[in-house]
Amino acid sequence: MRIIAVQNQKGGVGKTTTALALGAEAARAGGRVLLVDADAQGNLTTGLGLPLGGSAERDLAWLLGKVMQGARPDTKAAVLGWDGVADGRSHEAIHMDVLPGGPMLAEARQRLIPWMGPRENAILSVLDPVRGLYDTVVIDGAPVIDVLALACLVAADDLLVPSQAATFSVQGVGEVFGSLTMARRYNPGLRLLGVLPTMVQGSTVTQRGVLDALRGQGVPCTRTVIPYGVAAQDAAAACMPVTLGRTGHTPVGCAYRDLANEIGLRAQGARHAAEAAAGQGDAR
């Protein structure tokens, strides 16, 4: 099970759009995918048309409460399913599971601060019961650096940092890197996939200068650059990841598919699909 945290302490940089797109592409390739909404705003949850707080008020905050009570969280009971199609032409079915977020996460975050237990392992404790059920887990972190954000990084195998190619947005990257250093005290194997430049408008002098400055400082950036476009807003209005449906063939949708290829998500999903097919063949 590969866990990818999508994190930036600054909002409005395409974090949720990125998390949804990566999950959708892993699922399209045949992988079993779980999306985790670790943001009290719940944009990932509502972005798929699912209810905040999950079913019967069972969501990530509920599971964190169980962890703080010393109980084993029933993670599967809080998971909601989402089904869509790749596009209107192929009608290829896409399924993802979602661990919803919502306003109660703000309270859970406050309760984590004085908790005497292993706070940094809180998200790991939530995910352990479903380990083996998924090939890919994508965590959409909150735009804040706090104890819950640290727990997300401690649980992750990889960190991806979306950032607009603008001076003020890039300033937040340094804070995320500080959290990366702290998380590696508990999770030495945490890999940095890089900074993902988002909402890039052509090759303006300012944006080019910001990207050159990042690379000049040795900050790893993805080869893929996400262009500016209204596709992300259109996809959100349709409660779909931007790589699916009508927006899947836009420059933004295509760029996110390139990103999924770059970080190996589609190949990973394809391997699972092939293994599952081989297993079914053996069973016959």
PDB file of all heavy atoms in Angstrom, residues 31-49:
ATOM      1  N   GLY A  31      -6.011   0.165 -10.006  1.00  0.00           N
ATOM      2  CA  GLY A  31      -5.630   0.080  -8.609  1.00  0.00           C
ATOM      3  C   GLY A  31      -6.808   0.263  -7.669  1.00  0.00           C
ATOM      4  O   GLY A  31      -7.822   0.867  -8.019  1.00  0.00           O
ATOM      5  N   ARG A  32      -6.671  -0.276  -6.469  1.00  0.00           N
ATOM      6  CA  ARG A  32      -7.661  -0.082  -5.412  1.00  0.00           C
ATOM      7  C   ARG A  32      -7.254   1.164  -4.640  1.00  0.00           C
ATOM      8  O   ARG A  32      -6.162   1.215  -4.065  1.00  0.00           O
ATOM      9  CB  ARG A  32      -7.701  -1.303  -4.493  1.00  0.00           C
ATOM     10  CG  ARG A  32      -8.061  -2.605  -5.205  1.00  0.00           C
ATOM     11  CD  ARG A  32      -7.763  -3.816  -4.333  1.00  0.00           C
ATOM     12  NE  ARG A  32      -6.345  -3.887  -4.007  1.00  0.00           N
ATOM     13  CZ  ARG A  32      -5.820  -4.766  -3.152  1.00  0.00           C
ATOM     14  NH1 ARG A  32      -6.614  -5.641  -2.543  1.00  0.00           N
ATOM     15  NH2 ARG A  32      -4.524  -4.763  -2.907  1.00  0.00           N
ATOM     16  N   VAL A  33      -8.136   2.161  -4.616  1.00  0.00           N
ATOM     17  CA  VAL A  33      -7.758   3.500  -4.159  1.00  0.00           C
ATOM     18  C   VAL A  33      -8.608   3.938  -2.978  1.00  0.00           C
ATOM     19  O   VAL A  33      -9.834   3.772  -2.972  1.00  0.00           O
ATOM     20  CB  VAL A  33      -7.904   4.522  -5.309  1.00  0.00           C
ATOM     21  CG1 VAL A  33      -7.646   5.942  -4.819  1.00  0.00           C
ATOM     22  CG2 VAL A  33      -6.954   4.170  -6.450  1.00  0.00           C
ATOM     23  N   LEU A  34      -7.937   4.532  -1.985  1.00  0.00           N
ATOM     24  CA  LEU A  34      -8.609   5.193  -0.871  1.00  0.00           C
ATOM     25  C   LEU A  34      -8.151   6.642  -0.826  1.00  0.00           C
ATOM     26  O   LEU A  34      -6.946   6.919  -0.784  1.00  0.00           O
ATOM     27  CB  LEU A  34      -8.270   4.508   0.464  1.00  0.00           C
ATOM     28  CG  LEU A  34      -8.814   5.196   1.726  1.00  0.00           C
ATOM     29  CD1 LEU A  34     -10.342   5.144   1.752  1.00  0.00           C
ATOM     30  CD2 LEU A  34      -8.221   4.568   2.987  1.00  0.00           C
ATOM     31  N   LEU A  35      -9.106   7.568  -0.849  1.00  0.00           N
ATOM     32  CA  LEU A  35      -8.819   8.986  -0.675  1.00  0.00           C
ATOM     33  C   LEU A  35      -9.145   9.362   0.768  1.00  0.00           C
ATOM     34  O   LEU A  35     -10.214   9.012   1.278  1.00  0.00           O
ATOM     35  CB  LEU A  35      -9.672   9.831  -1.626  1.00  0.00           C
ATOM     36  CG  LEU A  35      -9.471   9.601  -3.122  1.00  0.00           C
ATOM     37  CD1 LEU A  35     -10.457  10.457  -3.921  1.00  0.00           C
ATOM     38  CD2 LEU A  35      -8.048   9.914  -3.537  1.00  0.00           C
ATOM     39  N   VAL A  36      -8.241  10.080   1.423  1.00  0.00           N
ATOM     40  CA  VAL A  36      -8.430  10.493   2.814  1.00  0.00           C
ATOM     41  C   VAL A  36      -8.527  12.009   2.864  1.00  0.00           C
ATOM     42  O   VAL A  36      -7.588  12.712   2.470  1.00  0.00           O
ATOM     43  CB  VAL A  36      -7.272  10.006   3.708  1.00  0.00           C
ATOM     44  CG1 VAL A  36      -7.477  10.481   5.146  1.00  0.00           C
ATOM     45  CG2 VAL A  36      -7.151   8.492   3.651  1.00  0.00           C
ATOM     46  N   ASP A  37      -9.668  12.518   3.342  1.00  0.00           N
ATOM     47  CA  ASP A  37      -9.878  13.951   3.455  1.00  0.00           C
ATOM     48  C   ASP A  37      -9.496  14.384   4.869  1.00  0.00           C
ATOM     49  O   ASP A  37     -10.256  14.224   5.814  1.00  0.00           O
ATOM     50  CB  ASP A  37     -11.355  14.287   3.180  1.00  0.00           C
ATOM     51  CG  ASP A  37     -11.588  15.780   3.023  1.00  0.00           C
ATOM     52  OD1 ASP A  37     -10.693  16.559   3.395  1.00  0.00           O
ATOM     53  OD2 ASP A  37     -12.673  16.163   2.546  1.00  0.00           O
ATOM     54  N   ALA A  38      -8.283  14.935   5.004  1.00  0.00           N
ATOM     55  CA  ALA A  38      -7.776  15.344   6.314  1.00  0.00           C
ATOM     56  C   ALA A  38      -7.921  16.843   6.530  1.00  0.00           C
ATOM     57  O   ALA A  38      -7.168  17.440   7.300  1.00  0.00           O
ATOM     58  CB  ALA A  38      -6.309  14.927   6.459  1.00  0.00           C
ATOM     59  N   ASP A  39      -8.890  17.438   5.872  1.00  0.00           N
ATOM     60  CA  ASP A  39      -9.119  18.881   5.957  1.00  0.00           C
ATOM     61  C   ASP A  39     -10.523  19.132   6.513  1.00  0.00           C
ATOM     62  O   ASP A  39     -11.500  18.568   6.009  1.00  0.00           O
ATOM     63  CB  ASP A  39      -8.991  19.495   4.556  1.00  0.00           C
ATOM     64  CG  ASP A  39      -9.016  21.015   4.562  1.00  0.00           C
ATOM     65  OD1 ASP A  39      -9.334  21.620   5.606  1.00  0.00           O
ATOM     66  OD2 ASP A  39      -8.724  21.603   3.509  1.00  0.00           O
ATOM     67  N   ALA A  40     -10.607  19.989   7.534  1.00  0.00           N
ATOM     68  CA  ALA A  40     -11.906  20.294   8.138  1.00  0.00           C
ATOM     69  C   ALA A  40     -12.856  20.970   7.154  1.00  0.00           C
ATOM     70  O   ALA A  40     -14.078  20.927   7.336  1.00  0.00           O
ATOM     71  CB  ALA A  40     -11.721  21.175   9.371  1.00  0.00           C
ATOM     72  N   GLN A  41     -12.317  21.587   6.103  1.00  0.00           N
ATOM     73  CA  GLN A  41     -13.183  22.192   5.089  1.00  0.00           C
ATOM     74  C   GLN A  41     -13.908  21.136   4.269  1.00  0.00           C
ATOM     75  O   GLN A  41     -14.965  21.404   3.695  1.00  0.00           O
ATOM     76  CB  GLN A  41     -12.356  23.097   4.163  1.00  0.00           C
ATOM     77  CG  GLN A  41     -11.700  24.265   4.873  1.00  0.00           C
ATOM     78  CD  GLN A  41     -10.850  25.079   3.913  1.00  0.00           C
ATOM     79  OE1 GLN A  41     -11.358  25.890   3.147  1.00  0.00           O
ATOM     80  NE2 GLN A  41      -9.548  24.851   3.947  1.00  0.00           N
ATOM     81  N   GLY A  42     -13.317  19.948   4.180  1.00  0.00           N
ATOM     82  CA  GLY A  42     -13.974  18.828   3.498  1.00  0.00           C
ATOM     83  C   GLY A  42     -14.131  18.999   2.004  1.00  0.00           C
ATOM     84  O   GLY A  42     -15.045  18.417   1.407  1.00  0.00           O
ATOM     85  N   ASN A  43     -13.217  19.733   1.370  1.00  0.00           N
ATOM     86  CA  ASN A  43     -13.379  19.989  -0.066  1.00  0.00           C
ATOM     87  C   ASN A  43     -13.245  18.728  -0.908  1.00  0.00           C
ATOM     88  O   ASN A  43     -13.908  18.595  -1.944  1.00  0.00           O
ATOM     89  CB  ASN A  43     -12.356  21.032  -0.540  1.00  0.00           C
ATOM     90  CG  ASN A  43     -12.666  22.414  -0.023  1.00  0.00           C
ATOM     91  OD1 ASN A  43     -13.815  22.727   0.281  1.00  0.00           O
ATOM     92  ND2 ASN A  43     -11.648  23.250   0.107  1.00  0.00           N
ATOM     93  N   LEU A  44     -12.405  17.799  -0.488  1.00  0.00           N
ATOM     94  CA  LEU A  44     -12.286  16.552  -1.250  1.00  0.00           C
ATOM     95  C   LEU A  44     -13.592  15.774  -1.169  1.00  0.00           C
ATOM     96  O   LEU A  44     -14.063  15.232  -2.171  1.00  0.00           O
ATOM     97  CB  LEU A  44     -11.117  15.716  -0.722  1.00  0.00           C
ATOM     98  CG  LEU A  44     -10.835  14.407  -1.475  1.00  0.00           C
ATOM     99  CD1 LEU A  44      -9.336  14.138  -1.539  1.00  0.00           C
ATOM    100  CD2 LEU A  44     -11.537  13.221  -0.804  1.00  0.00           C
ATOM    101  N   THR A  45     -14.180  15.733   0.013  1.00  0.00           N
ATOM    102  CA  THR A  45     -15.431  14.991   0.203  1.00  0.00           C
ATOM    103  C   THR A  45     -16.558  15.590  -0.635  1.00  0.00           C
ATOM    104  O   THR A  45     -17.226  14.888  -1.404  1.00  0.00           O
ATOM    105  CB  THR A  45     -15.826  14.997   1.695  1.00  0.00           C
ATOM    106  OG1 THR A  45     -14.739  14.448   2.463  1.00  0.00           O
ATOM    107  CG2 THR A  45     -17.077  14.184   1.938  1.00  0.00           C
ATOM    108  N   THR A  46     -16.772  16.890  -0.487  1.00  0.00           N
ATOM    109  CA  THR A  46     -17.849  17.544  -1.242  1.00  0.00           C
ATOM    110  C   THR A  46     -17.520  17.621  -2.723  1.00  0.00           C
ATOM    111  O   THR A  46     -18.431  17.660  -3.552  1.00  0.00           O
ATOM    112  CB  THR A  46     -18.119  18.949  -0.694  1.00  0.00           C
ATOM    113  OG1 THR A  46     -16.912  19.737  -0.767  1.00  0.00           O
ATOM    114  CG2 THR A  46     -18.588  18.895   0.749  1.00  0.00           C
ATOM    115  N   GLY A  47     -16.221  17.608  -3.056  1.00  0.00           N
ATOM    116  CA  GLY A  47     -15.823  17.635  -4.461  1.00  0.00           C
ATOM    117  C   GLY A  47     -16.206  16.385  -5.220  1.00  0.00           C
ATOM    118  O   GLY A  47     -16.172  16.366  -6.452  1.00  0.00           O
ATOM    119  N   LEU A  48     -16.593  15.340  -4.494  1.00  0.00           N
ATOM    120  CA  LEU A  48     -17.107  14.117  -5.118  1.00  0.00           C
ATOM    121  C   LEU A  48     -18.602  13.954  -4.867  1.00  0.00           C
ATOM    122  O   LEU A  48     -19.177  12.894  -5.145  1.00  0.00           O
ATOM    123  CB  LEU A  48     -16.354  12.900  -4.588  1.00  0.00           C
ATOM    124  CG  LEU A  48     -14.880  12.790  -5.005  1.00  0.00           C
ATOM    125  CD1 LEU A  48     -14.209  11.618  -4.304  1.00  0.00           C
ATOM    126  CD2 LEU A  48     -14.736  12.665  -6.514  1.00  0.00           C
ATOM    127  N   GLY A  49     -19.215  14.996  -4.316  1.00  0.00           N
ATOM    128  CA  GLY A  49     -20.659  14.946  -4.068  1.00  0.00           C
ATOM    129  C   GLY A  49     -21.040  14.107  -2.867  1.00  0.00           C
ATOM    130  O   GLY A  49     -22.197  13.696  -2.742  1.00  0.00           O
TER     131      GLY A  49
END
